[in-house]
Amino acid sequence: MSLIDRLADISTDPFGVENRIPLEYFYAHLFELSEGIMTKQDIINSFNLDATEQSELDWLIDRYN
């Protein structure tokens, strides 16, 4: 599943919400990353991101900066 799908709450499993990432929490993590409070690895660990989602996170961080 892609990072954007998890943020948008697009799931192939109608009963599974365990992969959903609340947008407000994700934004707060990005803010703390920009303030130097968190690292990218902290975000990866917090949301249990796989390799594809990590590359999307890199792209998103580049756009955020």
Side-chain angles (χ1 to χ4, degrees):
M1 179 176 278
S2 76
L3 179 61
I4 302 304
D5 289 345
R6 288 180 66 189
L7 290 169
D9 195 18
I10 298 172
S11 176
T12 57
D13 180 12
F15 301 109
V17 293
E18 67 278 350
N19 283 334
R20 181 180 177 278
I21 298 175
L23 192 56
E24 58 275 4
Y25 293 154
F26 187 74
Y27 177 76
H29 279 64
L30 288 180
F31 178 78
E32 290 185 357
L33 177 69
S34 70
E35 294 291 313
I37 299 169
M38 294 186 87
T39 65
K40 186 176 86 170
Q41 190 61 47
D42 291 333
I43 295 174
I44 292 168
N45 294 340
S46 292
F47 299 117
N48 195 23
L49 302 180
D50 63 20
T52 303
E53 294 167 343
Q54 289 176 32
S55 64
E56 292 177 22
L57 176 64
D58 288 334
W59 179 86
L60 194 57
I61 289 171
D62 289 342
R63 298 300 172 260
Y64 188 81
N65 289 331

